[in-house]
Amino acid sequence: DYLSVDADARRVYVTHGTEVVVLNADDYSVVGRIGGLQLSHAVVVLKELGKGYITDGDAKKVVIFDLNTLKVTGEVVTNQPDTDALVYDPASKLLFSINGNSANLTVIDPVKETVVKMMDLGGAAEFGVVDGKGTLYNNNEEKGDVAVIDTRTLTIKTRWPAAPAGTVTALAMDLKNQRLFSAGRN
């Protein structure tokens, strides 16, 4: 579903159904595999913790693995169907599991490996990006807008309509110029 690149470790994490394939970024050889998943979607790597996190949509959880061994070391149950995109916010030091069709997100403390809060997003959520200053932007497919979320207070500050984009899906941010790019279907 999503590719993740760890430029420092020269690794590419490719979610591939029931496993995540870890590639060497220089020659694309397989470094390893993380299996035992039902439907993998996204990977976030936190070097400072020595851990990686994988959303498993059908299992309704975030799987935790060791960056060195690629062995699964734990999990955080979201209990939400379509546990999908995953974003880390360095300002709040929290992980945000965006639970697509469940219309919410699960806020996770990656150190304690526990759920901090469930947040209702009021419609099918798709992808999110952070600005590194305490704001998470989340495309809402159902509402056709971008929810602007304060990652410290864990509240929705505002919503920006994305019309005429249609169903908003992809989202990217140019941090240097503080520009948000939201792509839509139809």
Side-chain angles (χ1 to χ4, degrees), residues 80 97-106 118-126 138-149 154-159 168:
Q80 301 299 308
S97 168
I98 300 166
N99 308 318
N101 295 330
S102 296
N104 59 31
L105 57 83
T106 306
M118 294 295 296
M119 288 185 65
D120 180 23
L121 296 174
E126 182 56 25
N138 178 247
N139 267 345
N140 192 304
E141 289 182 303
E142 196 171 331
K143 288 190 166 287
D145 68 11
V146 176
V148 181
I149 301 164
L154 303 178
T155 57
I156 298 174
K157 296 192 291 188
T158 190
R159 291 183 176 277
V168 290

Side-chain angles (χ1 to χ4, degrees), residues 46 48 88-96 108-111 151:
L46 295 181
E48 62 271 24
Y88 176 71
D89 173 50
S92 64
K93 302 206 180 311
L94 296 171
L95 277 168
F96 295 84
I108 298 170
D109 179 326
V111 174
T151 62

Side-chain angles (χ1 to χ4, degrees), residues 1-3 13-17 19-21 40-43 54-55:
D1 198 3
Y2 302 109
L3 291 174
Y13 295 85
V14 183
T15 58
H16 190 70
E19 67 180 358
V20 173
V21 180
S40 61
H41 288 283
V43 177
I54 306 166
T55 51

Side-chain angles (χ1 to χ4, degrees), residues 18 39 45 56 72 74 83 111 132 135 149 159 169 172-173 177 180:
T18 59
L39 185 58
V45 170
D56 189 341
V72 172
T83 300
V111 174
T135 302
I149 301 164
R159 291 183 176 277
T169 54
M173 183 159 204
N177 295 302
L180 188 66

